Amino acid sequence: MKVLVAVKRVVDYNVKVRPLSDGSSVDLNNVKMSINPFCEIAVEEAVRLKEQGVATEVVAVSVGPQQAQEQIRTSLALGADRGILVNTDAALEPLAIAKCLKALCDKESPDLVILGKQAIDGDNNQTGQMLAALAGYPQGTFASEVNIADGSVKVTREVDGGLQTVDLKLPVVVTTDLRLNEPRYASLPNIMKAKKKPLDTVTTDELGVDIAPRTQLLKVEPPAERAAGIIVEDVAQLMDKLRNEAKVI
Ligand code: AMP
């Protein structure tokens, strides 16, 4: 069983992002970049399936600039077998990413495609769903458990009010929720070994996909700053401020 895992290069979740001074985008200069956390969970799940003897090959795919090779190499160090970079410097929308992944599905014929439920930079939560629609695969989104047997996948999904389990026939698209697993750290020997694993590059032109944007980013601005708080002298002053300034009691 072949597993394709989609990994996105994003600003590391510990970084406090800032807009560029002209508000045209987020400032990515000298900012630490990492694998999107939900994609790390996707890689971990794929690698566990390989370790269990369910998957035979795990292919990590990223769509982005040359530097996205770093996130593919990290996926290889975590246990993926080979990588594919769809190289583009354009800022792509989820539909364009889904089209690139669909083109790779046509080439690679995976049985399972695992993606994160969302990328923490754009918070779109769209790519997996769009890929499933384009490829005509069933989808199990927000997965907190994945069980594969006899050509089908049971995906337990975190929905409002509880857990829902769906049974899907391979090939399928699965998107990962936070509680699916706890990703491992890459060991130094595995980081070294990952350097020798195959990593192919293709362009969006070679895949023949239309990546023209359908939306236009108007501006990026920081949230409004909160006014500083004050320390009150005593309870009487607190009550007075709540009653007469905040007018909440
Ligand atoms: P999004 O729909 O943008 O919230 O992203 C959901 C998931 O789609 C991510 O967690 C990735 O698994 C995948 N994805 C999105 N953008 C990319 C990209 N540029 N390269 C590879 N995978 C991506």
Side-chain angles (χ1 to χ4, degrees):
M1 195 181 101
K2 190 193 272 191
V3 184
L4 211 67
V5 192
V7 292
K8 186 172 188 189
R9 173 181 171 88
V10 296
V11 174
D12 188 90
Y13 70 96
N14 287 305
V15 172
K16 191 166 185 297
V17 289
R18 281 193 207 87
L20 288 169
S21 53
D22 64 0
S24 60
S25 184
V26 171
D27 188 355
L28 297 181
N29 293 307
N30 301 318
V31 164
K32 184 179 177 210
M33 305 294 284
S34 298
I35 296 190
N36 178 50
F38 292 105
C39 303
E40 260 187 327
I41 296 174
V43 173
E44 176 67 32
E45 195 63 18
V47 171
R48 287 188 191 187
L49 288 171
K50 185 154 185 226
E51 287 167 348
Q52 291 158 15
V54 178
T56 46
E57 188 183 27
V58 176
V59 185
V61 179
S62 193
V63 184
Q66 278 297 332
Q67 297 93 309
Q69 287 192 7
E70 291 164 20
Q71 283 62 46
I72 298 178
R73 286 280 171 218
T74 306
S75 310
L76 299 175
L78 292 169
D81 299 293
R82 64 184 168 94
I84 303 174
L85 171 67
V86 180
N87 187 208
T88 171
D89 288 327
L92 299 191
E93 295 170 356
L95 179 60
I97 307 283
K99 285 182 188 171
C100 293
L101 296 175
K102 152 78 168 79
L104 288 180
C105 286
D106 291 343
K107 276 183 148 192
E108 296 280 339
S109 306
D111 302 283
L112 172 63
V113 189
I114 315 188
L115 306 90
K117 74 168 177 183
Q118 80 193 59
I120 60 166
D121 52 0
D123 275 349
N124 290 311
N125 175 17
Q126 294 175 2
T127 310
Q129 294 88 328
M130 287 180 171
L131 170 63
L134 293 174
Y137 294 175
Q139 56 182 298
T141 52
F142 304 89
S144 61
E145 203 181 324
V146 174
N147 289 301
I148 301 181
D150 306 326
S152 77
V153 188
K154 282 197 172 53
V155 176
T156 302
R157 312 183 54 238
E158 299 200 346
V159 294
D160 272 359
L163 297 175
Q164 179 194 63
T165 302
V166 290
D167 194 4
L168 313 165
K169 233 174 145 26
L170 295 172
V172 305
V173 168
V174 167
T175 72
T176 61
D177 213 329
L178 205 58
R179 279 162 287 274
L180 180 59
N181 60 48
E182 214 173 293
R184 70 196 67 187
Y185 292 99
S187 67
L188 193 57
N190 285 344
I191 293 173
M192 300 313 288
K193 273 190 220 153
K195 293 184 193 229
K196 296 210 176 80
K197 291 189 179 175
L199 198 172
D200 294 329
T201 299
V202 287
T203 62
T204 49
D205 280 348
E206 282 163 354
L207 290 180
V209 292
D210 160 24
I211 56 165
R214 269 66 173 167
T215 55
Q216 189 192 351
L217 176 63
L218 297 180
K219 64 176 172 183
V220 177
E221 53 190 350
E225 295 231 346
R226 280 179 57 184
I230 54 156
I231 296 177
V232 291
E233 299 281 324
D234 51 28
V235 174
Q237 194 186 8
L238 173 67
M239 297 304 283
D240 177 60
K241 286 194 177 297
L242 290 176
R243 188 167 295 125
N244 300 316
E245 280 182 26
K247 298 193 193 315
V248 290
I249 54 172

